[in-house]
Amino acid sequence: MTEAESRVEAPGADYNFAYLDEQTKRMIRRALLKALAVPGYQVPFASREMPMPYGWGTGGVQVSAAVLVPGDRLKVIDQGADDTTNAVSIRKFFQKTAGIAVTGHTGEATVIQTRHRIPEAPLTEGQILVYQVPIPEPLRFLEPRETETRRMHALEEYGLMHVKLYEDIARHGEIATAYAYPVQIEGRYVMDPSPIPKFDNPKLRMAAIQLFGAGREQRIYALPPYTEVVSLDFEDHPFVPGKAEGACALCGSETSYLDEVIVDDRGGRMFVCSDTDYCAGRRAAGHVGAEGAAAGEGRA
Amino acid sequence: MDDQALSGGFADTPREAALAFRAALTAMARPGRIEAVAGARPPAPLSVAAGTLLLVLADPTTPVHLAGALDRPGLRDWLRFHTGAPLSDRAGAVFAVGRWADLLPLDAYSLGTPDYPDRSATLIVEMDALDATGARLTGPGIETSHGLSLPEIAAFRANRARFPLGLDFFLTAGERLAALPRSTHVEAV
Amino acid sequence: MYVAVKGGERAIDAAHAWLAEERRGDPAIPELAVAQIREQMTLAVNRVMAEGSLYDPDLAALAIKQARGDLIEAIFLIRAYRTTLPRLGASEPVETGGMRCDRRISATFKDVPGGQVLGPTFDYTHRLLDFALAAEGEVPEAATAAPDAAPKPRITGLLDRDGLIETEPASDETPPDLTREPLGFPAGRALRLQALTRSDEGFALGMAYSTQRGYGRNHPFVGELRLGRVGVEVEIPELGFAVEIAEIELTECETVNQFAGSKTEPPQFTRGYGLVFGQSERKAISMALVDRALRWEDLGEDFTGAPAQDAEFVISHGDNIQASGFLEHIKLPHYVDFQSELELVRRIRAEAAASAAEREAAE
C-alpha cells in the first residue's frame, strides 16, 4: 500500500456517509441483527441497486456501508490481494463516500471486505470480516428453486447435500468440492461460506464477527465470533483442507494458501502467497523464498 | 405535540447512527457483552440506550409496541416524530420496548416462521442496571461462557428451545446495553 | 527474481481515460448533444426509461451518451441513480382509458368506438435502407389534422359489459415494490407485472415468443394496443384533492386470450396485460403474453413445465442488470477458487494413475 492509497479523502459532499441513505442502512442493519441471532440462516433484504455491477461485490459493499463508522480503517481484498482491480475499486468507493482510512495491513484493519479468501493472520475481537457472496444458497446447485430450498432449510432436510457429496466419493474417491465447501452451523443451518478455498474453512471459527452479503440474491447471513462451524464430511471420508504442495517463491511460507503463476510456455510454474499482506509481512521480517529478494526490494 | 417530542434526536444522524449501530451489532454478536451508546435524549422514563436503539432501527416499516408506563403521549409523539414508526400491539410489533413485567407475556409476540425465522420481534428490556454477573450464557458469540444480569432465566431457556424460531433481546440501562439473541443458552449459576 | 503484478489503481485510471476518449470518437466529427439523443433516438430513450424504471427522457439520453449507446449500460446508470432518489410521494393510478392516443389499434374488431388510429409506426414501412437519411436532409412535413377528441373506451371494457371476458376486480391495495422489499415467492400478479415491465426487452420477447410456439400456449389476440399520453396525479393531503403534476407517454397492450370455462361455468375470454413507459410496443405485447402465461394457476390451467409459466424462473432471470452483472463477473479474478480445483483435479488424476500402475504391477 502506498502513501497515497492510505490517505483519508474528504467524504464526497454529494453522498450520504457511506453512500447509502439512512432508511436503507436501517433496513440492512435490522437484517444484520437477525442474521447474527440465527447464525447461518439467510435473511432476505431489499438489496439496492448500487453504482457497481451485481456480482462484483454489491452485497458486501452494502453490508460494509451499513457497519462502517467514521473511525474505521478499511481493508479490501480480492483473491487475498489488496491490489487486484476490483479491490482497488471498492476501496476507492469507500474512501470517496465515507472518508474513512484504508489499510493493507490485516492487523490494522477494523473492517475487512473480502472476496474468496480469509486472511492468513488470525483475526481478532475488534475486527469485522465482510464477505462478498455470489450465490448464498448452498443447496442451489442441487435444487434451483428458492421455494424448494427455503422449505429444505425449514425442515432441516439436508439429505440431498449428503447424497451429492457421497456421489463424489463414489466417482472420484473423494469429495470433489474444492471451494465454497458447505458447512453446518451450530448443528443447524447448512451454509455456503462463499467461494473461499476449502483450505480456509477451518478458519471460519474465529474471534472476529463475520458478515456475508449477497446483493443480487438479496440475502445477508452471519457468524458471530466462536460459532461452531463444521465442514460437511463422512466418518470414512473426513474433511481435508487442501492447498498446493510447495512453498511461496517470495517468502518461503509452506503453510499459506498459494496462487500458481505460470512463468514460461514450457510448463514452468511457481507458487506465491495469495495473501499479499501476509507475504509482504514475512519478507519484511526477513523470510526469503526461492525467487524472492531481501526485504524491501520486491515491494512496489 | 410538545417541544420535548421534537428534540432529543440525533444531531448528525449518519455518524451517530453508525456508531450506535456498531455497538448494537457488537452486542448482538457477543451476547452478554455490555456496550455503551449515546445520541438519543428521549423523554423519561425511556433510557438513552433504548431510545438510541429505536432511532437506529425503527422506521415507518417497523411497528413498535410501547409496553406499560412507556405508552404515554410524550413518548408516542417522540417516537413518531423521530422514526415515523407506527405504534402496535404485541402481536404486530417488530420492536417492543418496556420493563420486563410490562413486556410479558412473551407468547404474544411474533416468533417468526420456519421458512422465515427472521420475521420475529426484537424486545428491548429496560433494566435498572446491567452487569456481567448472574445467568451463565454460552453459545454462538461466546468463547467459553459469559455472565449477565437477567430479569429471569426460564423465559430465555424456553425461547432458546424454540430455535431457530424465537425472540431476540436487547437489555438496556441508562447509556448501556447488552443483547441476548435466541441462539444463546442460558443457565442459572 | 519475481515481482508480483501491481498497479491496479493506475490501470483503472488509465482505462477510464481511454474509455472517455473512445466515447468521444473522432474529434473531427461534431459531438452529440443530449437533446439530439432525446429527440432523435427516442425509442432507445424509451427503452432506457422503461427498464431503468425512471421516467426522465433527459437523464435517459445522458445515460445513452455516457454508455456509448450500450443500452443495458445506460439502464444500469439510470437504476443506480434512481436508487438514491428520495421518495416524496406516490401518484394516483394513471387512467389509461382516458389516454390521449397517438396510436390505438385493435386486432379483434374491424372498427371500434373511437376508431382505429395507426399513428407513428414502423409496421408498414418497407425495410429498405433510406439513403436519403445519410444526406442529412430535412424531412418533409407530415400532414396534420385537427386533434382527435373522440373518446376511446377500452375494448376489453366492451367485452366485459357483455360478460365475455373475465372481470378484473378493482383493488385499492398498495401494490408491492420489488425495488424496496426483498423478492419472495410465490409472487402475486402486481409484483410479476412490475418485474415484467422492468425486465429486459429481449428476454420478455423470447419468453413471449416461446408461448406462441407452444411452450405455455395461450392463443392471444391483441384486443387493443394504445400509445399516448396520460396525466400523473398526486393527492396533496393539505388540499384534499389530487393535482396533475406531469404527463407521461405510455404503451399499453391488452390481450384477449383463449377462454376458460367448465361444466358449471360458461366460457369467458381471459386477459393478459402489458404497460410500459414510452413507445415500447414490442415490450408491451411481450409483457401481456408472458403475464397471461404466468396466470395459469389463477385460471385453473395445468402447469405444462413451460418456462414462461414459471414465475420464479421468469422473475429471477428477466432483469438485465442482475443478469449482465453476474454474467460478466466471471471475468473478475478467480485465481483462488480455480487453484483449489486445479489441485483437486491433479490429485485425483495422480491417484488414478497410481492405482492403474498398481493394477498393472499386480497382473
Side-chain angles (χ1 to χ4, degrees):
Chain A
M1 181 119 327
T2 62
E3 280 288 318
E5 276 177 297
S6 53
R7 193 186 62 232
V8 178
E9 292 181 13
D14 302 343
Y15 302 99
N16 194 26
F17 174 73
Y19 184 77
L20 296 175
D21 60 279
E22 290 305 301
Q23 179 146 3
T24 298
K25 283 190 216 162
R26 265 194 296 273
M27 175 271 295
I28 296 172
R29 286 167 176 165
R30 290 193 296 264
L32 285 167
L33 294 178
K34 288 299 175 191
L36 284 164
V38 191
Y41 164 74
Q42 303 161 52
V43 181
F45 82 112
S47 174
R48 297 296 192 245
E49 296 184 272
M50 300 298 286
M52 56 194 67
Y54 283 118
W56 297 55
T58 56
V61 165
Q62 289 179 79
V63 169
S64 292
V67 303
L68 280 174
V69 298
D72 270 324
R73 274 185 310 282
L74 176 72
K75 172 180 165 81
V76 183
I77 49 174
D78 187 344
Q79 314 295 301
D82 297 276
D83 54 2
T84 33
T85 41
N86 205 39
V88 170
S89 168
I90 289 170
R91 192 163 56 234
K92 280 183 91 166
F93 176 76
F94 281 117
Q95 278 179 286
K96 188 170 169 186
T97 60
I100 43 140
V102 296
T103 179
H105 297 303
T106 301
E108 286 177 2
T110 50
V111 175
I112 302 174
Q113 182 169 326
T114 183
R115 176 168 173 265
H116 296 191
R117 272 314 307 277
I118 297 176
E120 302 290 353
L123 300 188
T124 57
E125 290 218 341
Q127 295 181 306
I128 297 175
L129 183 59
V130 178
Y131 294 77
Q132 300 172 204
V133 182
I135 302 273
E137 178 49 71
L139 305 168
R140 187 60 72 232
F141 299 101
L142 308 170
E143 169 53 61
R145 277 171 203 283
E146 163 66 15
T147 37
E148 274 301 301
T149 52
R150 185 157 290 279
R151 189 187 60 78
M152 289 158 78
H153 283 295
L155 299 176
E156 218 175 330
E157 199 182 282
Y158 295 128
L160 203 57
M161 181 64 93
H162 283 100
V163 169
K164 190 262 169 196
L165 297 177
Y166 208 82
E167 279 173 358
D168 275 3
I169 294 169
R171 177 176 301 178
H172 303 295
E174 63 178 288
I175 293 171
T177 297
Y179 61 91
Y181 191 103
V183 293
Q184 190 160 29
I185 308 306
E186 295 277 332
R188 182 57 180 82
Y189 286 99
V190 168
M191 186 191 97
D192 181 334
S194 89
I196 55 172
K198 66 177 180 173
F199 171 84
D200 282 342
N201 273 25
K203 298 183 214 159
L204 286 163
R205 186 184 188 275
M206 65 164 72
I209 298 170
Q210 298 173 84
L211 307 173
F212 299 78
R216 191 180 40 78
E217 298 280 342
Q218 307 188 313
R219 296 292 183 271
I220 281 172
Y221 51 105
L223 293 176
Y226 312 113
T227 298
E228 182 194 299
V229 180
V230 175
S231 300
L232 297 182
D233 62 359
F234 299 95
E235 246 170 52
D236 49 345
H237 285 274
F239 171 80
V240 188
K243 73 180 238 339
E245 295 283 330
C248 172
L250 300 179
C251 78
S253 172
E254 291 175 0
T255 54
S256 74
Y257 191 77
L258 300 173
D259 280 344
E260 184 168 332
V261 180
I262 295 177
V263 292
D264 56 42
D265 57 4
R266 300 179 304 278
R269 62 170 65 91
M270 57 183 266
F271 293 95
V272 293
C273 288
S274 122
D275 183 335
T276 49
D277 176 54
Y278 176 78
C279 192
R282 277 179 53 85
R283 279 178 285 144
H287 298 279
V288 183
E291 302 283 329
E297 279 181 55
R299 294 182 77 180
Chain B
M1 201 179 284
D2 59 20
D3 288 352
Q4 213 189 353
L6 306 179
S7 63
F10 288 135
D12 176 2
T13 299
R15 284 162 186 81
E16 286 181 281
L19 288 165
F21 175 70
R22 179 66 77 79
L25 179 89
T26 306
M28 192 58 85
R30 303 178 190 281
R33 288 280 187 101
I34 297 167
E35 300 280 327
V37 290
R41 284 163 287 106
L46 194 66
S47 68
V48 167
T52 301
L53 278 175
L54 288 171
L55 290 189
V56 171
L57 299 171
D59 65 24
T61 67
T62 60
V64 173
H65 176 64
L66 295 174
L70 294 184
D71 190 13
R72 60 172 71 188
L75 253 171
R76 280 186 233 137
D77 289 345
W78 183 83
L79 184 71
R80 220 181 350 246
F81 179 75
H82 290 285
T83 71
L87 293 175
S88 159
D89 59 5
R90 290 184 176 87
V94 169
F95 295 102
V97 57
R99 298 191 65 82
W100 182 249
D102 295 330
L103 286 166
L104 298 176
L106 298 187
D107 304 354
Y109 300 95
S110 170
L111 298 174
T113 65
D115 279 2
Y116 295 98
D118 56 301
R119 294 180 186 171
S120 69
T122 300
L123 271 51
I124 301 170
V125 188
E126 289 272 54
M127 311 268 289
D128 291 329
L130 271 181
D131 57 86
T133 56
R136 180 173 181 272
L137 313 183
T138 55
I142 303 167
E143 188 169 14
T144 49
S145 72
H146 215 281
L148 185 65
S149 49
L150 293 180
E152 67 163 276
I153 302 283
F156 295 103
R157 291 178 65 88
N159 188 51
R160 177 65 187 81
R162 288 166 163 152
F163 188 88
L165 303 189
L167 304 172
D168 305 305
F169 300 87
F170 280 106
L171 296 100
T172 50
E175 300 191 334
R176 307 195 320 149
L177 62 82
L180 193 75
R182 69 192 86 174
S183 60
T184 303
H185 297 271
V186 178
E187 290 164 282
V189 195
Chain C
M1 190 198 77
Y2 176 78
V3 179
V5 190
K6 290 230 176 200
E9 189 160 1
R10 263 187 16 247
I12 289 174
D13 290 343
H16 290 176
W18 193 353
L19 176 68
E21 209 176 284
E22 290 290 319
R23 174 188 300 125
R24 178 60 185 87
D26 182 351
I29 306 293
E31 187 186 349
L32 261 180
V34 168
Q36 287 176 311
I37 298 172
R38 187 193 65 220
E39 295 303 316
Q40 298 174 37
M41 294 285 138
T42 327
L43 300 187
V45 167
N46 286 345
R47 182 173 171 192
V48 170
M49 294 196 302
E51 294 171 35
S53 291
L54 185 69
Y55 196 96
D56 189 323
D58 289 294
L59 285 181
L62 171 63
I64 291 168
K65 177 174 178 174
Q66 187 179 335
R68 304 175 62 196
D70 178 338
L71 294 189
I72 292 183
E73 184 67 28
I75 291 160
F76 187 4
L77 290 168
I78 292 297
R79 291 267 193 99
Y81 177 75
R82 177 189 190 272
T83 325
T84 65
L85 297 176
R87 303 273 168 121
L88 301 176
S91 78
E92 297 292 299
V94 292
E95 185 41 77
T96 53
M99 182 184 278
R100 289 172 288 289
C101 295
D102 283 347
R103 171 163 162 76
R104 188 267 194 138
I105 53 168
S106 170
T108 48
F109 297 101
K110 186 165 184 181
D111 201 1
V112 287
Q116 304 256 19
V117 180
L118 197 53
T121 173
F122 288 123
D123 283 356
Y124 305 101
T125 61
H126 293 147
R127 269 58 168 202
L128 303 170
L129 274 177
D130 182 356
F131 293 99
L133 285 176
E136 297 177 33
E138 286 300 315
V139 285
E141 240 171 74
T144 55
D148 169 15
K152 295 179 174 53
R154 280 213 188 75
I155 308 295
T156 50
L158 306 177
L159 288 168
D160 193 20
R161 210 176 40 199
D162 299 334
L164 289 169
I165 195 163
E166 54 166 332
T167 301
E168 201 69 82
S171 167
D172 281 332
E173 219 176 290
T174 302
D177 181 352
L178 60 81
T179 69
R180 306 302 283 183
E181 297 144 34
L183 185 59
F185 296 102
R189 190 178 181 200
L191 194 72
R192 300 196 303 252
L193 288 170
Q194 185 193 13
L196 285 174
T197 196
R198 285 162 54 90
S199 71
D200 183 76
E201 181 173 317
F203 178 88
L205 172 65
M207 280 288 135
Y209 179 48
S210 73
T211 69
Q212 290 185 290
R213 290 196 64 261
Y215 289 85
R217 191 146 186 232
N218 53 46
H219 308 271
F221 296 101
V222 171
E224 181 168 0
L225 180 71
R226 54 171 68 196
L227 156 72
R229 307 189 74 83
V230 297
V232 177
E233 295 187 341
V234 172
E235 166 109 17
I236 309 289
E238 287 80 3
L239 299 179
F241 55 87
V243 294
E244 185 166 316
I245 56 157
E247 201 180 61
I248 60 172
E249 188 183 43
L250 293 173
T251 306
E252 183 184 55
C253 176
E254 290 191 280
T255 57
V256 176
N257 297 68
Q258 195 169 50
F259 45 85
S262 61
K263 276 187 180 144
T264 51
E265 275 182 70
Q268 257 188 333
F269 289 103
T270 58
R271 300 167 187 254
Y273 187 73
L275 183 72
V276 188
F277 281 159
Q279 182 172 5
S280 306
E281 288 182 31
R282 188 187 297 123
K283 175 72 173 288
I285 301 169
S286 299
M287 179 175 165
L289 264 59
V290 180
D291 168 50
R292 177 59 185 80
L294 290 172
R295 297 184 61 216
W296 62 272
E297 207 166 5
D298 308 339
L299 297 170
E301 296 171 344
D302 290 332
F303 178 70
T304 62
Q309 286 183 309
D310 186 334
E312 187 173 338
F313 181 85
V314 171
I315 295 176
S316 302
H317 302 112
D319 187 290
N320 52 24
I321 303 308
Q322 291 177 356
S324 63
F326 197 55
L327 181 104
E328 295 194 34
H329 107 281
I330 63 173
K331 65 194 172 189
L332 286 177
H334 283 78
Y335 324 131
V336 164
D337 22 346
F338 182 70
Q339 187 63 38
S340 65
E341 291 223 316
L342 202 55
E343 285 310 313
L344 181 72
V345 171
R346 278 190 184 130
R347 194 169 58 248
I348 294 174
R349 287 177 64 86
E351 279 160 13
S355 58
E358 249 172 60
R359 273 200 307 277
E360 233 169 73
E363 274 165 17

